[in-house]
Amino acid sequence: MRIVVQRSLEAEVRIGGERAGHIARGLVLLVGITHGDTEEDARYLAEKIAGLRIFEDEAGKMNRSVREAGGQILSVSQFTLYGDCRKGRRPNFMAAARPEQAEPLYDRFNELLRAQGLQVETGRFGAMMEVRLTNWGPVTLLLESESR
């Protein structure tokens, strides 16, 4: 699994002009899933994200997790994170898991985040979405289960 994590002051996802999910302060997660990913990968990343200390404490140090900061999660599936642009001009998405594998694992990942005590909003798997966010910092990180 590959996840882009963005600390956000506010974010929303819209589908067909309608708001599907909205958070105030928290994290926006762009979630990509590849062929060999398992529930173990989802569990590892859910725990990592819940405990990631990227929110500031009273001294201005990144010392609090999203949970400790009272933040929320906006989780958006994004198969394009596994796009390969090394050859030619058109990305190759062969490394992205097929929807029948990816969707249940994406849903499970969100359940695992909720089990960590986090409020999780989502878009809709496979839909054309508009994601709007105010990146705070900016803070953007890339997490991969493969590199644990």
Side-chain angles (χ1 to χ4, degrees), residues 64-124:
R64 289 192 172 148
S65 68
V66 64
R67 184 176 36 228
E68 293 166 331
Q72 304 165 313
I73 301 280
L74 178 62
S75 174
V76 179
S77 63
Q78 189 167 356
F79 77 94
T80 61
L81 288 176
Y82 279 100
D84 183 348
C85 299
R86 291 177 290 180
K87 294 182 181 178
R89 294 186 183 160
R90 182 176 304 155
N92 173 329
F93 298 107
M94 297 298 290
R98 305 250 336 127
E100 54 272 11
Q101 176 197 357
E103 186 172 11
L105 191 55
Y106 170 70
D107 291 343
R108 181 65 180 139
F109 169 72
N110 292 322
E111 290 171 12
L112 291 164
L113 286 170
R114 290 181 183 106
Q116 294 285 326
L118 297 167
Q119 178 185 337
V120 179
E121 296 283 320
T122 66
R124 186 170 61 233

